[in-house]
Amino acid sequence: QVQLVESGGGLVQPGGSLRLSCAASRFTLDYTPIAWFRQAPGKKREGIGCISSSNSNPYYYADSLKGRFTISRDVAKNTLYLQMNSLKPEDTAVYYCATDCVADYNTYFGSWGQGTQVTVSS
């Protein structure tokens, strides 16, 4: 199976920025990372957004993420990005990328990576 690798997480102060990257361990157009979701401690998985292979316009699950989170991708490199600005403590979570955009990642059995930890704290 394709292995997705997330990177770019870390510890940042509130108001800071991070840029997450997601790439497949093996380049393939059949398994392209197009979505981000996250899971905070004690909470369910929460979809962040998706950008389809046929549409470059990202879809965001919550309006609260718009303006702060921006999804983009480099088709040539089969790499997905998540630019996160104005980070808040409530953004603290493990961030995952996936090859599908679904309604609920809590019942998702497709491909996703191991996640990268984002911690927002002063």
Side-chain angles (χ1 to χ4, degrees):
Q1 293 184 344
V2 64
Q3 179 180 357
L4 302 180
V5 181
E6 300 94 339
S7 62
L11 174 64
V12 297
Q13 295 184 354
S17 299
L18 284 174
R19 188 195 190 203
L20 306 184
S21 299
C22 172
S25 60
R26 172 183 174 272
F27 181 86
T28 173
L29 297 179
D30 295 326
Y31 298 94
T32 302
I34 64 167
W36 289 99
F37 66 93
R38 66 185 182 183
Q39 185 167 28
K43 294 186 176 181
K44 297 169 61 177
R45 297 173 187 169
E46 176 188 16
I48 298 172
C50 314
I51 182 168
S52 70
S53 59
S54 60
N55 193 331
S56 61
N57 294 324
Y59 168 81
Y60 298 97
Y61 285 81
D63 289 339
S64 61
L65 299 176
K66 294 181 179 179
R68 297 195 302 119
F69 287 19
T70 302
I71 298 173
S72 62
R73 64 187 176 97
D74 186 330
V75 176
K77 301 180 69 173
N78 201 27
T79 300
L80 186 72
Y81 302 100
L82 179 63
Q83 178 67 47
M84 305 186 295
N85 300 322
S86 301
L87 285 164
K88 306 174 181 180
E90 50 264 42
D91 293 320
T92 296
V94 178
Y95 285 70
Y96 302 90
C97 60
T99 60
D100 302 281
C101 188
V102 299
D104 186 1
Y105 285 97
N106 293 282
T107 56
Y108 178 60
F109 296 97
S111 297
W112 69 85
Q114 79 285 353
T116 184
Q117 176 71 48
V118 173
T119 302
V120 185
S121 176
S122 60

